[in-house]
Amino acid sequence: MTTTRLPLLKEDKPKKKMSRKITAILLLLFTALLAVIFFRSSISHITVIDFQGSKYSTSEELLSQSGIHIGGQFFAVSTKSVEQSLLELKTVKTVAVKKDFPGVITVKIEEFPAVAYELEQGGILKAILSSGAAVTVNETGIAVEKPILTNWDPADPNKAILCQTLGSISNELTSDISEIVPSPTLSFPDRIKLYTRSRFEVITSISLLKSKVSYLNQVIETKEPGLITMLEADSYVPFQVESEEQKGDEQKDVQE
């Protein structure tokens, strides 16, 4: 019986494996080179920052607060971080940041509305927002239907609460109010006095203003100028009008 010898199988040489490794390394190096070139090129930088809806905050303030700038890395910007930073401003109510490649960042801002005005020392007129923030009135002008805050301490916490309350009431219900003055008592530490353009004087409190303002407008529309009290109970007393006879007597006294 004859035996047949099978030829020995030759071992695979590692040439192919080595060539694959080299190819992979070259691809990685090429990709890294492209990435370096891309991130150093102008196409990866921020070229436009568009703030929309800002009236009381300047572009400089918004840029400083947001932390972004022209020429910065576009892909390094976190929209959520920018939004959170801008919401720290007392003028900003809501914000939405959108990135559009290449290089455009759009920031849409909704600010707190102006609810009143205040004349500071030196004659500087400030707009008071519903957040309590005071901002200088610029060329946009003032809204004539907003009240003036008088004799308020900037540190008075009731001032911020008043601004929030005014912001929660429709303009139609507050448009006749021309001035608001603090008038606290022991029973009502948040008591205020209101003066209207229709020549009424009103006594109420900040905590009751929102629930009582509809009564105020009913009286203004149907009664002659007088004193309106809106505290635990509502009341109206017209101002006393001097008769012609009383006026004549006073004139005689002056002449004498």
Side-chain angles (χ1 to χ4, degrees):
M1 182 177 181
T2 59
T3 58
T4 305
R5 292 185 178 180
L6 295 175
L8 295 175
L9 295 176
K10 295 181 179 180
E11 295 182 359
D12 292 335
K13 296 181 179 180
K15 290 183 178 180
K16 291 184 178 180
K17 290 184 178 180
M18 289 296 295
S19 62
R20 289 177 182 176
K21 288 182 179 180
I22 292 173
T23 303
I25 291 172
L26 290 174
L27 285 173
L28 287 174
L29 290 174
F30 182 70
T31 303
L33 180 61
L34 287 178
V36 170
I37 294 173
F38 175 78
F39 284 109
R40 287 189 176 182
S41 67
S42 59
I43 199 172
S44 69
H45 295 166
I46 301 172
T47 55
V48 176
I49 301 175
D50 183 18
F51 291 106
Q52 299 177 359
S54 57
K55 178 180 177 181
Y56 302 112
S57 303
T58 64
S59 297
E60 290 76 14
E61 291 172 334
L62 295 172
L63 280 172
S64 176
Q65 184 67 25
S66 67
I68 56 178
H69 61 278
I70 298 295
Q73 279 295 332
F74 178 79
F75 293 100
V77 174
S78 167
T79 57
K80 187 175 182 180
S81 296
V82 174
E83 291 171 356
Q84 290 175 342
S85 296
L86 291 175
L87 285 173
E88 293 177 5
L89 294 174
K90 292 193 70 175
T91 56
V92 177
K93 184 177 181 181
T94 63
V95 58
V97 179
K98 182 183 178 183
K99 296 168 62 178
D100 293 306
F101 184 79
V104 178
I105 296 179
T106 304
V107 184
K108 293 184 178 180
I109 292 172
E110 180 187 0
E111 294 179 317
F112 289 99
V115 295
Y117 295 94
E118 190 171 36
L119 193 62
E120 294 187 344
Q121 293 182 352
I124 299 175
L125 186 64
K126 295 276 189 175
I128 310 299
L129 309 187
S130 61
S131 63
V135 295
T136 303
V137 176
N138 52 26
E139 66 275 3
T140 57
I142 67 172
V144 293
E145 74 277 6
K146 304 298 182 184
I148 298 292
L149 303 186
T150 306
N151 298 332
W152 284 89
D153 185 342
D156 188 347
N158 286 321
K159 181 181 178 182
I161 298 173
L162 172 62
C163 293
Q164 293 174 2
T165 302
L166 291 172
S168 66
I169 303 173
S170 66
N171 290 334
E172 295 178 356
L173 296 177
T174 60
S175 59
D176 195 49
I177 301 173
S178 61
E179 186 178 6
I180 304 178
V181 181
S183 181
T185 64
L186 291 176
S187 301
F188 295 94
D190 64 339
R191 198 181 85 146
I192 53 177
K193 280 188 179 181
L194 313 177
Y195 298 93
T196 72
R197 294 177 176 85
S198 51
R199 296 181 293 120
F200 285 81
E201 183 178 330
V202 184
I203 296 175
T204 187
S205 67
I206 298 172
S207 56
L208 295 172
L209 179 60
K210 186 174 182 179
S211 61
K212 300 284 189 177
V213 72
S214 58
Y215 171 77
L216 168 63
N217 283 272
Q218 290 175 9
V219 176
I220 288 174
E221 291 173 359
T222 59
K223 303 293 185 181
E224 293 297 320
L227 175 64
I228 302 173
T229 301
M230 302 186 302
L231 292 170
E232 292 179 348
D234 300 334
S235 65
Y236 158 73
V237 179
F239 294 138
Q240 295 296 324
V241 180
E242 292 181 332
S243 65
E244 293 297 327
E245 184 178 346
Q246 289 174 321
K247 290 182 180 179
D249 292 341
E250 289 179 359
Q251 289 177 354
K252 288 180 181 180
D253 292 339
V254 171
Q255 290 175 356
E256 293 176 355

